[in-house]
Amino acid sequence: MTRTVGIILAGGLSQRFGSPKAFAKLGEQYFYERAMDALVPCCAEVFVVTRLEHMQCFPSSVNVMTDSIRYAGLGPLAGILSVMEFVEADRYAVLPCDMPFVDSRAMSKLLEHHDKGLTAVVSDGRYHPLVSIWDRKLMGAVREALENDQLRVMKILAQSNAVWVDGSTLTDDEKRMFMNVNTPGALERG
């Protein structure tokens, strides 16, 4: 049976947002809780990758970790690789904490579309490389990219011949589902 591990990326600086996005709220839930709700039904385990100063803010029931020391602060690829090195799985379902409308149905459907390599979402002409599924075999390519200071996620996707899944096949409301919340006012506009 294929083992899937979830990765919630919650280690950004949140400069435009003004506070850690993982702890922003939509209704009564923190963004990280919404991301967990999206991943838990389709993953054996879920890990939140965050900054050292936020580790103690999460409840003890959450698997929380930081980037590996040698990749600390190098962006989303560092978070993905850190989980890949920490826990073995066949594939990793990745979700950034600042996309609070992505739900478990969409992630389950994305997993159904995944065959091998790397699968990500394109919605309304916008690419969402961090709403994605990564096979374990990509670990070496991610490590090599980080060691060569190549931090762009899109470059790894291009090199890996990623399969782009149209967001409309995952949800009826793709504009809302794949909204990236970078500022506090984005929720009101969305």
Side-chain angles (χ1 to χ4, degrees):
M1 184 166 164
T2 303
R3 178 173 161 78
T4 304
V5 166
I7 302 173
I8 298 171
L9 299 172
L13 294 174
S14 302
Q15 290 175 323
R16 288 181 283 169
F17 200 80
S19 62
K21 288 188 251 183
F23 301 105
K25 279 193 163 183
L26 181 61
E28 295 298 313
Q29 282 189 301
Y30 292 118
F31 281 13
Y32 86 85
E33 291 173 318
R34 294 183 65 86
M36 289 191 69
D37 285 349
L39 292 175
V40 164
C42 54
C43 296
E45 290 181 275
V46 176
F47 290 83
V48 177
V49 185
T50 192
R51 302 175 66 73
L52 183 60
E53 61 266 28
H54 301 146
M55 291 279 291
Q56 300 305 316
C57 299
F58 292 88
S60 60
S61 59
V62 175
N63 293 323
V64 61
M65 60 184 288
T66 61
D67 291 341
S68 299
I69 292 171
R70 62 193 281 205
Y71 307 118
L74 295 181
L77 289 177
I80 293 167
L81 180 60
S82 296
V83 175
M84 286 177 157
E85 289 181 342
F86 183 73
V87 61
E88 190 168 336
D90 300 298
R91 60 191 184 181
Y92 300 84
V94 177
L95 186 60
C97 72
D98 60 1
M99 296 186 78
F101 296 104
V102 176
D103 62 22
S104 61
R105 287 185 317 265
M107 290 306 294
S108 292
K109 287 181 181 179
L110 184 60
L111 280 161
E112 290 171 13
H113 284 281
H114 181 75
D115 181 34
K116 61 182 178 183
L118 215 159
T119 305
V121 174
V122 59
S123 175
D124 198 29
R126 295 187 63 156
Y127 292 89
H128 301 285
L130 296 178
V131 181
S132 50
I133 312 299
W134 300 61
D135 280 355
R136 183 167 185 80
K137 69 178 183 178
L138 293 168
M139 189 166 65
V142 176
R143 185 181 298 118
E144 183 178 334
L146 289 170
E147 289 172 354
N148 290 312
D149 292 321
Q150 193 294 102
L151 309 181
R152 291 185 48 238
V153 177
M154 288 296 284
K155 187 167 184 179
I156 289 280
L157 273 82
Q159 291 170 342
S160 303
N161 297 315
V163 172
W164 292 95
V165 175
D166 193 307
S168 65
T169 66
L170 307 177
T171 180
D172 293 333
D173 188 3
E174 66 179 302
K175 183 177 180 183
R176 183 173 171 90
M177 176 76 64
F178 300 111
M179 179 194 318
N180 187 294
V181 180
N182 285 317
T183 61
L187 289 173
E188 287 106 41
R189 290 189 303 275

